[in-house]
Amino acid sequence: MSKESNSTLPAVAPFSLFSAKDVELFQAGLHERLYERFGAHAVEYEGEAGTYFAVWAPNAAYISVIGEFNNWDRYTHTLYPRWDHSGIWEGFIPKVKKGSLYKYFIRSRTGEELYKGDPYAFHWELRPNTASITWNLDYQWKDKQWMERRHAHNSLQSPFTVYEVHLGSWRRPDPNNHEVFYSYKEIADRLVPYVKDMGFTHVELMPVGEHPFDGSWGYQQTGYYAPTSRYGTPQDFMAFVDAFHHAGIGVILDWVPSHFPYDAHGLFRFDGSHTYEYADMRKGYHPDWNSYIFNYKRNEVRSFLLSNALYWLDKYHIDGLRVDAVASMIHLDYSRNTGAWAPNEEGGRENLEAITFLKHLNERIYHLHPDTQTIAEESTSFYGVSRPVFLGGLGFGMKWMMGWMNDTLTFFKRDPMHRKWHQDEFTFSIAYAFSENFMLPLSHDEVVHGKSPMIYKMPGDDWQKFANLRLLYGYMFTHPGTKLLFMGDEIGQTQEWNFRSELNWHLLEHPTHKGLQQFVKDVNRLYTSQPALYQLQFSYDSFEWVNVSDYDNSVLAYLRKSEDPKDTLLVVLNLTPATHEHYMIALSAAGTWQEILNSDDPRYYGSGVLNTSPVKTVQQPYNGKDYTLTLRVPPLGAAVFKGVQ
């Protein structure tokens, strides 16, 4: 073995951070902190500083570490395979310092030669370069106050209004140069006060894990343990999260345990075999995304993913994980034709090992980080996505309400004069709204691939488009469930989202767009300040129809309730451009109501059909109730009233 100059150690010293228990947990699919073992870690051994490397490659015949420190030589720094047949290769290399570029050179048992990045690397080169970088996670967090109190902020009984953001295209230094980005700090300096001013409680980041292709938006990752270097270092991203916490805003991260790309330096055929993905391409290849599916049956892969989810919560203080593409994980026939998928051992279409993995994942997240949330992007009627595992559910905190999104957008695209024929489609969501803990999403998926921006989904002339969109948001924020808006939706973005540029901020020079933005601000504050809109948001007790059968006028009304009757709100929606000056609503109790929000207010560029004074009920039997309330109902408007005590 060759010697390092001025060193008493060989080029690679036999050293390990793994205990027998670590290996046992890793092989059982139960290890939760693999990021403390695998990867590159600065250590001192026999009085010498250097870096310990460990990688899992069970089909490898030879592995070496190549990098700047050895001029990318494949034979000077060979790792040792562990004696326990775990497939782990490891060793200590003296004098390798923080910030060194490296890869693994892997020769498979069939003689194939591969150059791979480190699956557990904390930092990577900026694309198109593909090397991993030795790094640490040292950081002095300043969010102690947030962390001590966030259990209340992230509770299912608290408001969740989420602003979904793609970091590279919210704002850019030069909208016409997609190679230049703001740094994490520069983004935070602009984004934190904006999100705060708009009244959102959380920001959701589209995936920040290192990814080679900008056009994947982060959903095709190679570096699962590294925030992308497009915007800075791991510590820069920690400071980014810290800044949101200082402002009282939670940070949710899109997490992608469903699939990964086939880039040569990534996870695909990592050691010349199907290491991380299923070998059977009927399970292992995803036709929609031209990517590969994690092998949830392989315990070491389960440990990799379990540790990764907990890593972001542990090391980056993330407040929640929105788990991408859950439907594709749990259904073997997802987006596959007959004959292109293999049934499970029971003959069914469910991926049983993926379901088992998700249940265990959620149990461990809520055990170790009970003040966080997991949110499933799941588009089917699979039972109990947000129900506890002990009740047969998957154990997520919330589920995206894709049915509400599809039905609502389909309805709002219709000419208002035709809506009375389709009103039951619009109100159908309440029939199943409490079967799960639902989040109402208007996400990036709705404004790409020819679907048009939100404002152009709305029918009518310019005034009607904006009135319709304010009405939609008024309905969304008073409907049971938590809320998510994609960036740009709040200003009436007039172009489909383009990850290469930035939002059309110049639109705010126009009163229509400025009015829409102001309405989103105010409806956010309404939602977060009124317990009736969030306290029981997943309970049947929070909602009561008042008027659901006036098809001819397309006027709907409902009550939203909290544990205190004094908090009750009355919501009235007019789905057509017709104004109603004396519209009667039947109520079961006497009272006086004050209008607290009206989407037709002139400050939002509305026409000004308001109820400026408190409105009292009259004792008069109507529609089976003892009292009536007579209101001005605005055109294409949402009006919200609160009882005056």
Side-chain angles (χ1 to χ4, degrees), residues 51 73 84 104 125 139 141 187 209 217 252 256-258 298 321 337 366 385 404 430 549 558:
T51 301
D73 191 296
D84 52 16
Y104 295 115
E125 279 189 292
Y139 180 76
W141 285 92
I187 298 169
W217 312 333
I252 299 167
V256 192
S258 49
R298 193 164 197 172
L321 298 175
N337 296 323
Y366 283 111
V385 172
W404 172 89
I430 295 300
S549 58
Y558 47 88

Side-chain angles (χ1 to χ4, degrees), residues 583-596:
Y583 191 87
M584 290 175 57
I585 289 176
L587 293 173
S588 56
T592 301
W593 296 83
Q594 177 72 56
E595 187 174 81
I596 58 175

Side-chain angles (χ1 to χ4, degrees), residues 245-510:
H245 287 174
H246 270 272
I249 299 164
V251 180
I252 299 167
L253 192 63
D254 265 15
W255 185 60
V256 192
S258 49
H259 62 110
F260 55 87
Y262 55 82
D263 296 75
H265 63 287
L267 297 177
F268 178 59
R269 298 190 72 253
F270 187 77
D271 60 5
S273 67
H274 295 293
T275 316
Y276 284 90
E277 69 275 9
Y278 286 107
D280 184 345
M281 288 297 100
R282 292 176 298 173
K283 293 176 73 173
Y285 174 73
H286 205 296
D288 281 3
W289 303 309
N290 193 23
S291 57
Y292 292 85
I293 300 170
F294 283 105
N295 182 352
Y296 308 107
K297 196 169 188 176
R298 193 164 197 172
N299 285 340
E300 294 90 343
V301 174
R302 292 158 71 107
S303 285
F304 171 84
L305 290 171
L306 175 63
S307 291
N308 185 244
L310 293 168
Y311 166 78
W312 293 105
L313 304 177
D314 173 28
K315 295 299 184 181
Y316 288 91
H317 290 198
I318 295 299
D319 299 287
L321 298 175
R322 177 268 194 185
V323 182
D324 182 62
V326 171
S328 75
M329 294 175 65
I330 63 179
H331 293 106
L332 296 168
D333 62 344
Y334 182 88
S335 202
R336 296 177 190 271
N337 296 323
T338 302
W341 60 280
N344 62 39
E345 53 265 37
E346 298 175 358
R349 58 192 284 263
E350 297 81 17
N351 186 328
L352 300 178
E353 52 255 29
I355 291 170
T356 301
F357 166 71
L358 288 171
K359 288 180 176 183
H360 179 69
L361 171 77
N362 282 314
E363 283 186 316
R364 296 310 298 158
I365 286 176
Y366 283 111
H367 176 77
L368 295 168
H369 301 278
D371 51 356
T372 65
Q373 293 292 344
T374 59
I375 306 161
E377 186 213 9
E378 207 286 321
S379 54
T380 73
S381 57
F382 189 87
Y383 167 76
V385 172
S386 63
R387 293 293 175 254
V389 173
F390 66 81
L391 292 179
L394 292 183
F396 285 93
M398 285 176 268
K399 170 184 172 174
W400 274 19
M401 197 175 188
M402 308 297 278
W404 172 89
M405 179 274 296
N406 285 317
D407 290 347
T408 299
L409 292 182
T410 299
F411 181 86
F412 269 90
K413 290 175 185 176
R414 299 186 187 280
D415 185 310
M417 293 300 102
H418 299 156
R419 287 175 178 174
K420 63 182 179 180
W421 309 111
H422 303 276
Q423 192 164 296
D424 289 345
E425 299 168 15
F426 180 74
T427 59
F428 176 61
S429 61
I430 295 300
Y432 62 91
F434 307 107
S435 61
E436 299 273 6
N437 298 339
F438 280 118
M439 174 175 280
L440 312 185
L442 293 174
S443 74
H444 66 274
D445 282 329
E446 310 321 314
V447 292
V448 291
H449 303 320
K451 294 180 183 177
S452 86
M454 290 297 298
I455 191 65
Y456 290 145
K457 297 181 195 294
M458 303 295 111
D461 59 21
D462 198 49
W463 185 89
Q464 288 194 13
K465 287 183 188 301
F466 280 92
N468 266 304
L469 193 51
R470 294 192 304 272
L471 169 61
L472 188 159
Y473 292 160
Y475 165 60
M476 174 183 183
F477 277 78
T478 58
H479 187 287
T482 55
K483 330 294 175 186
L484 177 139
L485 276 182
F486 182 55
M487 64 182 199
D489 288 354
E490 80 282 10
I491 64 171
Q493 177 84 356
T494 54
Q495 294 178 324
E496 286 198 348
W497 170 53
N498 178 6
F499 69 90
R500 293 186 180 90
S501 187
E502 69 172 12
L503 300 182
N504 301 137
W505 293 106
H506 62 86
L507 293 172
L508 292 175
E509 298 168 6
H510 303 285

Side-chain angles (χ1 to χ4, degrees), residues 142-151 245-246:
K142 306 171 188 68
D143 63 349
K144 181 180 179 183
Q145 186 176 25
W146 167 268
M147 295 297 284
E148 288 175 346
R149 299 180 181 178
R150 74 172 179 176
H151 64 280
H245 287 174
H246 270 272

Side-chain angles (χ1 to χ4, degrees), residues 1-4 9-15 51-55 60-67 69-70 72-82 88-94 96 103-107:
M1 183 71 73
S2 64
K3 305 279 186 178
E4 288 282 326
L9 294 173
V12 181
F15 173 83
T51 301
Y52 163 76
F53 294 89
V55 62
Y62 173 88
I63 300 182
S64 64
V65 183
I66 59 175
F69 63 91
N70 64 8
W72 304 95
D73 191 296
R74 301 184 299 176
Y75 300 108
T76 57
H77 292 84
T78 305
L79 295 181
Y80 299 94
R82 283 182 64 91
I88 298 171
W89 298 67
E90 59 187 348
F92 171 79
I93 303 179
V96 175
K103 282 188 177 182
Y104 295 115
F105 170 69
I106 301 174
R107 183 178 291 120

